Amino acid sequence: MPPSKPDTVYFFGTCLIDLMFPKAGVSAIQLLQRAGIKVIYPQAQTCCGQPAWNSGYRAEARKVARAQIALFPKPLPIVIPSGSCAGMMKTHYPELFKGEADEAQALDVAGRVYELTEFLVDVLNVNLKDLGEPVEIAVHTSCSARREMGVADKIEQLLGQLQNVKVLEQAYKPECCGFGGTFAIKQPEISAAMVADKTMHLRNTGATQVVSQDCGCLMNIGGAFEYQAKHQNKKALSTQHIAEFLLQRTSSPSPSTGEGHRMGVAEVKS
């Protein structure tokens, strides 16, 4: 049975959204606010600790994670617009803090983590009305969203509510794009081969756009598209985070700019 709708949630913005995709974070907050949810954004939040964890630096990962755990003391859901960071906090924090004095706090935080699309579908049961022009897109679901969080179907459940959006199926859809955080740095040749395959399959769908819930994947796939367009004369598809895509499709155009109407400045409280 899904949990009841809360009136307030915490929001964990993630490093890549903060540094590379700020519109995705703002859009996610606005989607929550539009559903009547008050959003608390702890200003001191930083990284979830995943890079150190993936590199085998347990003590360093624990130090970073411990600082984040302290930012979510109230018994509220923690919504994260990333399957990767949500997977770190929900799946790996219990292992990282096993036997530590603050294991109970880590388990409490892990038990309150929701990936954004999961929260919109399973908790808020949102009802979307498509206001956009017809478009054909492809969806990339991150490995963490698929295998750690088990929420791979949520993004397409949301897109399925948009009558003018057609999702085109790609070959080898569940396969990794080759990003994998530090994997792309440690194994650049393998990563490059993987993203070459992924972009080929995405391009072969005939879609004009790729949507995902993970900015790491979008950065890797989008970067590959740009490189291939510049150096290999191949078609480049645009890429966008699911939160920004959903907000644009379901918001009335602004009279002054023609862009999607914003729901007001996101409330941020520490």
Side-chain angles (χ1 to χ4, degrees):
M1 183 176 181
S4 58
K5 177 182 175 180
D7 58 11
T8 306
V9 301
Y10 285 119
F11 189 81
F12 186 79
T14 86
C15 302
L16 287 182
I17 280 183
D18 182 34
L19 298 173
M20 306 292 291
F21 298 85
K23 287 184 178 179
V26 173
S27 297
I29 290 174
Q30 290 178 325
L31 286 171
L32 295 169
Q33 290 180 320
R34 190 172 66 180
I37 305 295
K38 179 181 177 183
V39 178
I40 300 175
Y41 187 101
Q43 292 290 327
Q45 65 180 272
T46 57
C47 173
C48 64
Q50 187 177 181
W53 165 265
N54 288 346
S55 300
Y57 294 98
R58 297 293 185 263
E60 290 81 357
R62 195 176 296 114
K63 182 178 180 181
V64 175
R66 185 169 282 134
Q68 309 316 304
I69 288 172
L71 299 174
F72 306 106
K74 299 178 182 177
L76 300 172
I78 303 165
V79 180
I80 305 176
S82 161
S84 178
C85 300
M88 175 65 194
M89 296 175 74
K90 192 176 188 70
T91 304
H92 298 304
Y93 274 14
E95 181 180 352
L96 184 61
F97 284 89
K98 188 175 181 58
E100 297 290 322
D102 45 1
E103 180 181 4
Q105 291 94 321
L107 290 172
D108 174 60
V109 164
R112 291 187 278 125
V113 165
Y114 291 86
E115 186 272 334
L116 175 67
T117 61
E118 173 192 20
F119 192 77
L120 293 174
V121 172
D122 290 347
V123 181
L124 299 186
N125 192 26
V126 295
N127 184 18
L128 302 173
K129 182 179 180 181
D130 193 1
L131 302 177
E133 297 295 323
V135 65
E136 294 184 336
I137 69 170
V139 172
H140 174 71
T141 307
S142 73
C143 300
S144 296
R146 181 176 298 278
R147 301 184 177 95
E148 289 183 344
M149 294 296 293
V151 299
D153 59 326
K154 307 305 179 186
I155 186 169
E156 293 196 39
Q157 287 186 39
L158 292 166
L159 293 171
Q161 296 185 29
L162 305 178
Q163 63 181 8
N164 287 330
V165 175
K166 183 177 182 180
V167 178
L168 302 176
E169 287 293 315
Q170 62 189 276
Y172 305 104
K173 183 178 179 180
E175 291 194 357
C176 176
C177 71
F179 180 61
T182 55
F183 172 79
I185 299 172
K186 294 177 179 177
Q187 304 287 346
E189 293 84 5
I190 298 174
S191 174
M194 292 172 72
V195 78
D197 279 350
K198 176 59 68 175
T199 51
M200 175 184 70
H201 295 312
L202 290 168
R203 189 183 292 108
N204 287 346
T205 65
T208 59
Q209 187 171 2
V210 176
V211 173
S212 179
Q213 76 277 70
D214 266 275
C215 290
C217 302
L218 289 172
M219 187 168 65
N220 193 39
I221 292 171
F225 276 138
E226 290 182 15
Y227 178 87
Q228 293 160 2
K230 183 176 182 180
H231 298 285
Q232 301 172 359
N233 196 31
K234 294 181 179 178
K235 177 184 174 184
L237 281 66
S238 64
T239 57
Q240 195 171 36
H241 190 275
I242 182 63
E244 193 176 354
F245 183 80
L246 290 179
L247 188 68
Q248 285 183 354
R249 298 290 310 188
T250 58
S251 298
S252 299
S254 167
S256 59
T257 65
E259 296 181 348
H261 171 64
R262 298 310 190 199
M263 299 300 295
V265 177
E267 182 174 358
V268 289
K269 291 184 178 180
S270 56

